[in-house]
Amino acid sequence: MMDTQLVLNGFVKRVETYFPHKEIVSRTSADKIHRLTYKDFATRTRKLASALEKIGMTKGMKVGSFAWNQHRHLEAYFAVPCTGAVLHMINIRLADEHLEYIINHAQDEILLVDIDLFETIERILPKLTTVKQIVVMSDSDDLPESQFSALYSYEKLLAEAPDDYQFPTDLDENLPAAMCYTSATTGFPKGVVYTHRGLVLHAINLGLVDSFGLSERSVALPVVPMFHVNAWGIPFASVNFGAKLVLPGPNFTSHTLIDLIEEERVTFTAGVPTIWMGVLQELEKTPRDMSSLEMVAAGGSASPPALIQKFTHKFGIPYKTVYGMTETSPIVSVAALTSEMDDWSEEEKIAALSTQGLTVPLIETEIINEDGEVPADGQTMGELRIRGPWISSEYYNDERTIDAYRDGWLYTGDIAVRTPQGNIKITDRTKDLIKSGGEWISSVDLENALMAHDAVFEAAVIAIPHIKWQERPLACVVLQEGYDTSVKEELKTFLATQVAKWWMPDDIVFVREIPKTSVGKFLKAKLRDDMKDYQLTP
Amino acid sequence: MMDTQLVLNGFVKRVETYFPHKEIVSRTSADKIHRLTYKDFATRTRKLASALEKIGMTKGMKVGSFAWNQHRHLEAYFAVPCTGAVLHMINIRLADEHLEYIINHAQDEILLVDIDLFETIERILPKLTTVKQIVVMSDSDDLPESQFSALYSYEKLLAEAPDDYQFPTDLDENLPAAMCYTSATTGFPKGVVYTHRGLVLHAINLGLVDSFGLSERSVALPVVPMFHVNAWGIPFASVNFGAKLVLPGPNFTSHTLIDLIEEERVTFTAGVPTIWMGVLQELEKTPRDMSSLEMVAAGGSASPPALIQKFTHKFGIPYKTVYGMTETSPIVSVAALTSEMDDWSEEEKIAALSTQGLTVPLIETEIINEDGEVPADGQTMGELRIRGPWISSEYYNDERTIDAYRDGWLYTGDIAVRTPQGNIKITDRTKDLIKSGGEWISSVDLENALMAHDAVFEAAVIAIPHIKWQERPLACVVLQEGYDTSVKEELKTFLATQVAKWWMPDDIVFVREIPKTSVGKFLKAKLRDDMKDYQLTP
């Protein structure tokens, strides 16, 4: 066979050759929609590469992006890796201290910054030790006021760049192409480096019928931020398959997303469950035309069955749970209804769609406890471990690598069971499991059960120290509008019909909101800290 | 990223873990249907590997298969490569002289032979210089009479094999996994070797929505023989995705195929256009329930638009042309209706489906003439060249490599145009082009035009030497039942409305059949030879 390297460069060539007229639709501000053809995207991407090389970008250099989901960010997704440099997608929601750490730790030398986010970078500039140039992304050539002198306008750089730049054709598939940092339970975020080969194989996987099914006919709206795990690979896959891309831009709301889905006839969208809860609330108030949607992918945290049920049945929108991590590029598994489930009851189907799903081709997963791999009984819990060609093998320059990478596997820290159909079902994080009298209680199962009640908007269950049982569960509930704390006894009765008696939370407390990470996951460490003075009635 | 090797071994593990209950349905003889679950398939595959190693199979050894599309052949598709040996799929339709050549040239040491094909092998045995063992595949343990002593029963070997054999876990993705020989215009067949990496990437590609769209819900019937270019990769892909496989076995007819499609609710099938012409004739006589079909893939030679039109409209069966060669694993391109064609006329859509389609992801194609790459105008002809990770880089131990492989590309010998939508449209083989007065005439276009007439069953157009124009086209036509040669003038009038005047064949002759290669392609060299005494009226 030919020694063809699996590099992202081929994606750009493919889209401009076969799908030059297809569109990238970017919402660049609250009232502006920008449209770009793939032909112009390819031209601009090459010009960006040329311009960045002119201001100093070299092979292997880290180039940080600090940006929303918009077309310039997409251009950087290809311009940087296709020259052999590495795009570091910086999470714009991190605290200053963490931003400083990751930019310095990655050794970013150039930053590409959305103009409305520039203030944050300006604020931390004195602490950045490696950044030499900053390129400001904006519709105009105007630059913001800054203490920093090596400031460039993205559009001005492109206007001055030559038309005839060509990407190198000799990149090795194992070259680093991109990197992201993931929040750690303790300490600074940990970096994960993605290679061309990993990203290419991951992107191809998103075109499989049983995965995301992205194709030329797709209209893909990645709600998941482009600063978060390659926006789940959707930008790479869409370019490769010639799918129309819809990028939601800065500070969107549920209303914005619904508008985009309706107006651009979106067929595929992906994001965390919290997003879909908001969209659902909006749709329940004001029905809209969502008929173009063929798949809503939800991941990052578990989707409550009640949410899946409403999307699937009330709105007729297929809703699939997916699973992955920053360490896994990210897609590891996708929940779908296989042919053997055709004669299952609706309730059983929703239960199957609530799992993290079937492991995708080329990836291997195992659920391990002290007895080895757990049986596929849907009951026996163990830790999920993963290996495959788009699974990282280390944290970037980080001693914490040994905590997660052993024996050729990534140990996820997620506690899971394997269903008889082979689906992964996450029952908890290792550190969030409730250990009561030597047995494990799954906080996620309790949360899902609670969230099925109309009065509950969100629920998080945490462990509270207990003198006799070591730990007992405490449920923290955010109420839907229109309900008050008098619903407490009703919730207890509701829960009692669904879970074992010894799993019942010792109490339910009502809170304003559940603390969340920058990517919308429950921040249980914070919640445990908030509740540290709570005393269980003995 | 982890250094995970792309090897076929993962496919077996995946199918037995996630889809153990799904079925492989084999038609093993005219009246026998054999059913095997993937769980049992995986067990038998490991037993076969163990048994073959016991009788001498080692890493890198060539093991020939001489068999129909049936479940034992599928077991060999995995058992041989997953141990590091190489499966040589031998075309059972070759002449004895060519069989002897390829078995000796590949240096096959073990042969796996279907019992009803054993006679052929027995006949050529005295000429085989490397074969040391023969395993006879049959439902029983009985062995045929033979002059050869090292003869084994497949089922007896399996019955004696241990249960606990495990495939090696350290195979390199660039190891040879399989090989096929392809007929040459002159001389003996040429060998092509496939690596694990190439076959894995090719199989994944068949799951893409815009390719074959194979998935867990597919019921796949590869009519294309398993001794011909990996049966287009369908067996590998079906195992990987957990699709139900339907294998049509020996000596099937159109009637057999229709029965299998109806009874097993086949969703996907693939074969040469000649097969689909026969199926069409049968369906026109006796309507049957083909409603399960979601895609018919046709390749190996061009599909006449009339055939596509009838399948698509008369029977409501989506029919897609695909393109590939033994040298390309084989899938290079697939014709489909892209979103921009939605408002095209039915005639334009059929024309698009008649092309060889869009190049699939990871593969690059170029159409080259003396001026470089041809414009995408649907008019300018050039030679098609291809490169990518499942394109071979040489003929196995063969000096003819230099005829086809140059500058990192495979030169196909196919003359093509690029349509404005980017589709490849093959207009001829380099050697079949008709060069009239310095201009090129496409024999394929003339054939398609003729085949659109109800009276024409098949048509082949060849070049006849001409004193003034160098070459002129001669049409050789096989009539449909119920028509006679009096239709000749009508055919000429019919053709005149569709092609340029100077393209009009100088004559139409009626023949009993068009000579074909062992894989059903028009054998124009033979036809030209048959017609060598034909004299054109000056």
Side-chain angles (χ1 to χ4, degrees):
Chain A
M1 293 293 107
M2 291 180 181
D3 181 27
T4 306
Q5 297 296 294
L6 303 173
V7 292
L8 293 170
N9 306 39
F11 290 19
V12 180
K13 184 166 180 193
R14 187 165 199 271
V15 85
E16 70 175 328
T17 306
Y18 299 124
F19 313 107
H21 56 285
K22 299 283 303 276
E23 272 184 336
I24 300 156
V25 180
S26 274
R27 177 179 161 277
T28 48
S29 64
D31 56 359
K32 200 168 163 194
I33 296 285
H34 179 274
R35 288 171 190 276
L36 183 70
T37 65
Y38 274 123
K39 182 172 195 297
D40 292 339
F41 155 79
T43 305
R44 286 171 55 89
T45 298
R46 277 192 298 269
K47 280 174 178 274
L48 175 61
S50 166
L52 292 176
E53 287 192 346
K54 199 174 159 200
I55 66 169
M57 183 172 73
T58 55
K59 208 164 153 176
M61 181 184 285
K62 309 296 192 308
V63 176
S65 64
F66 198 76
W68 303 102
N69 289 16
Q70 42 90 346
H71 68 97
R72 293 184 192 89
H73 204 172
L74 185 74
E75 289 154 11
Y77 255 54
F78 288 90
V80 176
C82 292
T83 60
V86 183
L87 184 74
H88 170 200
M89 296 155 268
I90 304 166
N91 185 337
I92 64 172
R93 302 229 170 84
L94 293 182
D96 286 3
E97 186 196 17
H98 283 189
L99 286 175
E100 291 156 21
Y101 171 81
I102 70 169
I103 294 171
N104 291 335
H105 185 263
Q107 301 191 284
D108 295 339
E109 297 187 43
I110 300 176
L111 293 183
L112 306 170
V113 182
D114 267 351
I115 194 161
D116 61 319
L117 301 170
F118 185 75
E119 197 183 326
T120 305
I121 297 297
E122 176 78 11
R123 189 172 59 235
I124 63 171
L125 259 176
K127 298 283 187 65
L128 301 183
T129 56
T130 57
V131 174
K132 298 196 182 82
Q133 280 93 10
I134 297 177
V135 178
V136 177
M137 297 192 278
S138 148
D139 289 346
S140 83
D141 291 357
D142 299 342
L143 290 172
E145 291 279 315
S146 174
Q147 58 187 302
F148 194 73
S149 59
L151 211 59
Y152 298 89
S153 150
Y154 186 101
E155 291 300 330
K156 191 146 180 273
L157 282 178
L158 257 62
E160 291 164 357
D163 282 326
D164 60 351
Y165 177 87
Q166 296 296 328
F167 288 119
T169 55
D170 60 350
L171 295 187
D172 185 283
E173 65 185 26
N174 292 310
L175 266 188
M179 69 185 300
C180 271
Y181 280 74
T182 181
S183 300
T185 319
T186 54
F188 286 114
K190 299 171 283 190
V192 176
V193 173
Y194 310 104
T195 61
H196 278 269
R197 172 176 158 120
L199 292 176
V200 165
L201 292 173
H202 182 270
I204 293 288
N205 190 278
L206 300 190
L208 298 178
V209 176
D210 292 332
S211 172
F212 287 5
L214 289 172
S215 78
E216 188 275 328
R217 289 189 166 270
S218 300
V219 179
L221 167 60
V223 179
V224 49
M226 289 173 73
F227 52 76
H228 181 55
V229 216
N230 314 301
W232 298 1
I234 299 161
F236 293 125
S238 297
V239 168
N240 191 32
F241 300 131
K244 174 174 158 182
L245 252 179
V246 181
L247 302 174
N251 300 314
F252 57 79
T253 63
S254 302
H255 192 79
T256 320
L257 297 177
I258 292 169
D259 282 351
L260 285 172
I261 292 168
E262 190 174 65
E263 285 159 20
E264 302 297 334
R265 305 296 296 158
V266 167
T267 65
F268 173 89
T269 182
V272 291
T274 311
I275 296 282
W276 307 125
M277 281 192 211
V279 166
L280 183 70
Q281 279 196 322
E282 193 73 33
L283 289 174
E284 285 186 323
K285 271 188 254 164
T286 318
R288 297 282 293 273
D289 179 7
M290 300 286 104
S291 63
S292 58
L293 277 179
E294 294 166 4
M295 177 172 168
V296 174
S301 61
S303 291
L307 179 65
I308 300 175
Q309 200 272 336
K310 281 197 179 166
F311 261 92
T312 311
H313 294 295
K314 196 157 170 184
F315 298 108
I317 300 172
Y319 183 106
K320 291 186 190 173
T321 303
V322 303
Y323 173 77
M325 308 164 75
T326 302
E327 291 85 339
T328 63
S329 294
I331 301 303
V332 167
S333 61
V334 179
L337 299 174
T338 55
S339 55
E340 70 172 307
M341 300 175 187
D342 282 349
D343 53 4
W344 284 19
S345 71
E346 287 310 301
E347 201 174 316
E348 289 170 314
K349 286 180 183 174
I350 297 296
L353 290 172
S354 311
T355 71
Q356 277 61 41
L358 268 188
T359 306
V360 298
L362 303 185
I363 298 295
E364 275 182 273
T365 58
E366 285 186 354
I367 299 169
I368 299 288
N369 66 17
E370 59 277 16
D371 301 323
E373 201 169 353
V374 303
D377 60 6
Q379 301 280 337
T380 314
M381 294 189 221
E383 183 176 2
L384 178 67
R385 64 180 192 178
I386 311 173
R387 65 183 179 192
W390 55 84
I391 311 302
S392 59
S393 54
E394 60 175 5
Y395 293 118
Y396 179 68
N397 287 345
D398 199 311
E399 288 178 354
R400 288 168 293 181
T401 290
I402 51 165
D403 300 340
Y405 302 91
R406 296 190 302 275
D407 326 316
W409 292 86
L410 165 69
Y411 284 77
T412 61
D414 280 327
I415 299 299
V417 299
R418 178 84 67 187
T419 73
Q421 290 70 40
N423 284 12
I424 297 164
K425 184 163 184 273
I426 304 285
T427 55
D428 234 316
R429 291 288 299 166
T430 323
K431 60 182 190 298
D432 294 336
L433 266 181
I434 299 151
K435 284 151 203 148
S436 175
E439 297 286 339
W440 287 357
I441 297 173
S442 159
S443 63
V444 175
D445 281 359
L446 288 172
E447 288 157 9
N448 284 340
L450 277 167
M451 285 199 266
H453 193 286
D454 283 344
V456 178
F457 177 67
E458 282 184 333
V461 176
I462 55 172
I464 296 289
H466 191 282
I467 199 152
K468 179 173 175 192
W469 302 111
Q470 290 151 317
E471 288 180 356
R472 287 299 301 160
L474 172 72
C476 305
V477 165
V478 181
L479 288 172
Q480 286 279 11
E481 264 177 62
Y483 287 89
D484 63 40
T485 56
S486 67
V487 80
K488 185 166 169 173
E489 286 310 309
E490 188 184 321
L491 285 180
K492 283 188 177 174
T493 313
F494 178 74
L495 206 53
T497 63
Q498 300 180 67
V499 302
K501 201 174 166 208
W502 66 277
W503 275 40
M504 279 294 288
D506 283 35
D507 199 4
I508 296 174
V509 295
F510 296 99
V511 295
R512 275 262 190 81
E513 57 177 345
I514 309 290
K516 297 198 185 69
T517 68
S518 62
V519 292
K521 295 190 198 194
F522 287 172
L523 195 58
K524 290 202 184 170
K526 172 78 167 57
L527 191 61
R528 278 192 293 268
D529 194 52
D530 292 349
M531 294 290 163
K532 69 175 185 294
D533 297 329
Y534 179 87
Q535 291 290 329
L536 285 179
T537 319
Chain B
M1 292 292 107
M2 290 180 182
D3 181 28
T4 307
Q5 297 295 295
L6 303 174
V7 292
L8 293 169
N9 304 40
F11 290 19
V12 180
K13 184 165 179 193
R14 188 165 198 271
V15 86
E16 71 175 327
T17 306
Y18 299 123
F19 313 108
H21 56 285
K22 298 285 301 278
E23 272 184 337
I24 299 157
V25 180
S26 275
R27 178 178 161 277
T28 49
S29 66
D31 56 359
K32 200 168 163 195
I33 296 285
H34 178 274
R35 288 171 192 277
L36 183 70
T37 65
Y38 275 123
K39 183 172 193 297
D40 291 340
F41 155 80
T43 305
R44 286 171 55 87
T45 298
R46 275 192 299 267
K47 280 173 178 274
L48 175 60
S50 166
L52 291 176
E53 287 191 347
K54 198 175 161 200
I55 66 170
M57 183 173 73
T58 54
K59 208 164 151 173
M61 180 184 285
K62 309 296 192 306
V63 177
S65 64
F66 198 75
W68 303 102
N69 290 16
Q70 43 90 345
H71 69 96
R72 293 183 191 88
H73 204 173
L74 185 74
E75 288 155 11
Y77 255 53
F78 288 90
V80 176
C82 292
T83 61
V86 183
L87 184 75
H88 171 199
M89 297 155 268
I90 304 166
N91 186 338
I92 64 172
R93 302 229 170 84
L94 292 182
D96 285 5
E97 185 194 20
H98 282 189
L99 285 176
E100 290 155 22
Y101 171 81
I102 70 169
I103 293 170
N104 291 336
H105 186 262
Q107 302 190 283
D108 294 339
E109 297 187 42
I110 301 176
L111 292 183
L112 306 171
V113 182
D114 267 351
I115 194 159
D116 61 319
L117 300 170
F118 185 75
E119 198 184 326
T120 305
I121 296 298
E122 177 78 11
R123 188 171 60 233
I124 63 172
L125 260 176
K127 298 284 186 64
L128 301 183
T129 55
T130 57
V131 173
K132 299 194 181 81
Q133 281 94 9
I134 297 178
V135 178
V136 178
M137 297 192 277
S138 149
D139 288 346
S140 82
D141 291 355
D142 298 343
L143 289 172
E145 292 278 317
S146 174
Q147 59 187 304
F148 193 74
S149 60
L151 211 58
Y152 299 89
S153 150
Y154 186 99
E155 290 300 331
K156 192 147 179 276
L157 282 179
L158 257 60
E160 292 164 357
D163 282 326
D164 59 351
Y165 177 87
Q166 296 297 329
F167 288 118
T169 55
D170 60 350
L171 295 187
D172 185 284
E173 64 184 27
N174 293 309
L175 267 187
M179 69 186 300
C180 270
Y181 280 73
T182 180
S183 300
T185 320
T186 54
F188 287 114
K190 299 171 282 189
V192 176
V193 174
Y194 309 103
T195 61
H196 279 269
R197 173 178 157 119
L199 292 177
V200 166
L201 292 173
H202 182 270
I204 292 287
N205 191 278
L206 300 190
L208 297 179
V209 175
D210 292 332
S211 173
F212 287 5
L214 290 172
S215 77
E216 187 276 328
R217 289 189 166 269
S218 301
V219 179
L221 167 61
V223 180
V224 50
M226 288 174 72
F227 53 75
H228 180 57
V229 217
N230 313 301
W232 299 1
I234 298 162
F236 294 124
S238 297
V239 168
N240 191 31
F241 300 131
K244 174 175 159 182
L245 253 179
V246 181
L247 301 173
N251 300 314
F252 57 79
T253 63
S254 301
H255 192 79
T256 320
L257 297 178
I258 291 168
D259 282 352
L260 285 172
I261 292 168
E262 189 174 67
E263 285 158 21
E264 301 298 335
R265 304 296 296 156
V266 168
T267 65
F268 173 89
T269 181
V272 290
T274 312
I275 295 283
W276 307 125
M277 281 191 211
V279 166
L280 184 70
Q281 279 195 320
E282 194 72 33
L283 289 175
E284 285 185 323
K285 273 188 254 164
T286 318
R288 296 283 292 275
D289 179 7
M290 299 286 106
S291 63
S292 59
L293 277 179
E294 293 165 5
M295 177 171 167
V296 174
S301 61
S303 290
L307 180 65
I308 301 174
Q309 200 272 337
K310 282 197 179 165
F311 261 91
T312 311
H313 295 294
K314 197 158 169 182
F315 298 107
I317 300 172
Y319 183 105
K320 291 186 191 175
T321 303
V322 302
Y323 172 77
M325 310 165 73
T326 304
E327 291 86 338
T328 63
S329 296
I331 302 303
V332 167
S333 60
V334 179
L337 299 174
T338 55
S339 54
E340 71 172 307
M341 300 175 187
D342 282 349
D343 53 3
W344 284 19
S345 71
E346 287 310 300
E347 201 175 312
E348 288 170 316
K349 285 180 183 174
I350 297 296
L353 290 171
S354 311
T355 71
Q356 277 61 41
L358 268 188
T359 307
V360 298
L362 301 185
I363 298 295
E364 275 183 89
T365 59
E366 285 186 354
I367 299 168
I368 299 289
N369 68 15
E370 59 277 15
D371 301 322
E373 202 169 353
V374 304
D377 60 6
Q379 300 281 337
T380 313
M381 294 190 221
E383 184 176 1
L384 178 66
R385 63 180 191 177
I386 310 174
R387 64 182 179 193
W390 55 84
I391 311 302
S392 59
S393 54
E394 61 176 3
Y395 292 119
Y396 178 69
N397 288 345
D398 200 311
E399 287 178 356
R400 290 169 291 182
T401 290
I402 51 165
D403 301 340
Y405 301 90
R406 296 190 301 277
D407 325 317
W409 293 87
L410 165 68
Y411 285 77
T412 62
D414 280 327
I415 299 298
V417 298
R418 178 84 67 187
T419 73
Q421 289 69 42
N423 283 11
I424 296 164
K425 185 163 183 271
I426 304 284
T427 55
D428 235 317
R429 290 288 301 163
T430 323
K431 60 183 190 299
D432 293 337
L433 264 183
I434 300 151
K435 284 153 203 146
S436 175
E439 297 284 339
W440 287 357
I441 296 174
S442 159
S443 62
V444 175
D445 281 359
L446 287 172
E447 288 157 9
N448 284 341
L450 276 167
M451 284 197 266
H453 193 284
D454 283 344
V456 179
F457 176 67
E458 280 185 333
V461 176
I462 56 172
I464 296 288
H466 191 282
I467 198 155
K468 179 172 174 194
W469 301 110
Q470 292 152 316
E471 289 181 354
R472 288 297 301 159
L474 172 72
C476 305
V477 166
V478 181
L479 287 172
Q480 287 279 12
E481 265 177 62
Y483 287 90
D484 64 39
T485 56
S486 66
V487 80
K488 185 165 170 175
E489 285 311 309
E490 187 184 323
L491 285 180
K492 283 188 176 172
T493 314
F494 178 73
L495 207 52
T497 62
Q498 299 180 70
V499 302
K501 202 174 165 206
W502 66 276
W503 276 40
M504 280 295 289
D506 283 35
D507 198 6
I508 296 174
V509 296
F510 296 99
V511 294
R512 274 264 191 80
E513 59 176 344
I514 309 291
K516 297 198 185 66
T517 68
S518 60
V519 293
K521 294 190 201 197
F522 286 173
L523 196 56
K524 290 203 184 169
K526 172 79 166 55
L527 191 62
R528 278 191 293 266
D529 194 52
D530 292 349
M531 293 293 163
K532 69 177 184 294
D533 298 329
Y534 178 86
Q535 291 289 328
L536 283 180
T537 320

